[in-house]
């Protein structure tokens, strides 16, 4: 089975003084990225979709959840500032399931570092762009390998 670890799509600029950053939704580019993620993963056999409780993450995976006919499951382990060990525990509990998990740019690198320390092979290019997808193959109870894909923010052919 396969797990997909997704960084939320473009949500515009953060206001460092806003106490309600968790309510910041996707930009127009981010909404297009979310649709592209749904296009890319909609036929991949995803049966569960998880998201950080933050609006920008939910909006990133809602089109995918709708396409595959499931509800988005909110999980605090995926929230901004979360401990990568909690995300890794969630992922290990999902081995044997095809699931998509949406989190944040401060969490995903920590998760990948932990995975690599535990023997997961990181294939090819590494990155953490908004709207990117890490495809993680599993075998038994192991997270075997991970590969990075960047999902463009702009329409095809336009620079991001």
């Amino acid at each position: 089975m396969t797990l997909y670890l997704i960084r939320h799509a473009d949500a515009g600029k953060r206001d460092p003084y806003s106490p309600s950053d968790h309510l910041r939704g996707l930009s127009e580019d981010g909404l297009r990225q979310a649709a592209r993620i749904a296009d890319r993963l909609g036929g991949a056999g995803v049966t569960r979709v998880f998201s950080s409780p933050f609006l920008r993450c939910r909006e990133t995976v809602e089109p995918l959840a709708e396409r595959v006919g499931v509800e988005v499951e909110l999980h605090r382990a995926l929230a901004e500032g979360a401990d990568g060990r909690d995300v890794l525990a969630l992922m290990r509990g999902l081995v044997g399931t095809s699931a998509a998990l949406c989190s944040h740019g401060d969490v995903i690198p920590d998760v990948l570092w932990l995975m690599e320390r535990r023997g997961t092979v990181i294939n090819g290019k590494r990155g953490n762009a908004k709207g990117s997808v890490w495809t993680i193959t599993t075998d038994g109870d192991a997270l075997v390998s991970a590969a990075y894909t960047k999902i463009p923010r702009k329409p095809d052919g336009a620079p991001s």
Side-chain angles (χ1 to χ4, degrees):
M1 295 293 180
T2 306
L3 300 175
Y4 302 94
L5 183 58
I6 302 164
R7 178 167 180 204
H8 69 77
D10 186 73
K13 295 190 189 271
R14 173 187 305 271
D15 177 355
Y17 303 105
S18 173
S20 58
D21 187 62
H22 64 286
L23 299 175
R24 183 166 43 106
L26 296 180
S27 67
E28 289 299 316
D29 285 341
L31 293 170
R32 284 189 287 274
Q33 276 181 306
R36 288 186 185 105
I37 291 167
D39 289 345
R40 181 175 182 84
L41 301 181
V46 170
T47 59
R48 294 182 76 183
V49 177
F50 291 85
S51 173
S52 157
F54 287 49
L55 180 60
R56 56 192 173 271
C57 279
R58 290 193 322 260
E59 287 183 343
T60 297
V61 292
E62 282 172 345
L64 173 61
E66 184 176 315
R67 174 136 343 151
V68 301
V70 300
E71 293 292 321
V72 175
E73 300 176 54
L74 302 182
H75 204 292
R76 295 190 84 53
L78 297 167
E80 188 171 80
D83 188 323
R85 293 173 294 192
D86 294 335
V87 177
L88 188 57
L90 173 61
M91 291 169 59
R92 293 179 78 73
L94 292 169
V95 170
T97 305
S98 286
L101 302 93
C102 188
S103 191
H104 299 266
D106 65 327
V107 176
I108 292 173
D110 190 32
V111 173
L112 292 165
W113 181 81
L114 290 165
M115 287 171 51
E116 192 169 30
R117 286 198 61 206
R118 288 166 173 78
T120 304
V121 175
I122 309 296
N123 294 315
K125 180 181 175 181
R126 295 171 187 241
N128 193 32
K130 290 181 180 176
S132 59
V133 177
W134 279 93
T135 301
I136 302 158
T137 57
T138 66
D139 184 20
D141 63 352
L143 304 174
V144 176
S145 65
Y148 175 77
T149 304
K150 183 177 177 184
I151 306 295
R153 289 186 299 135
K154 302 287 184 184
D156 293 338
S160 56

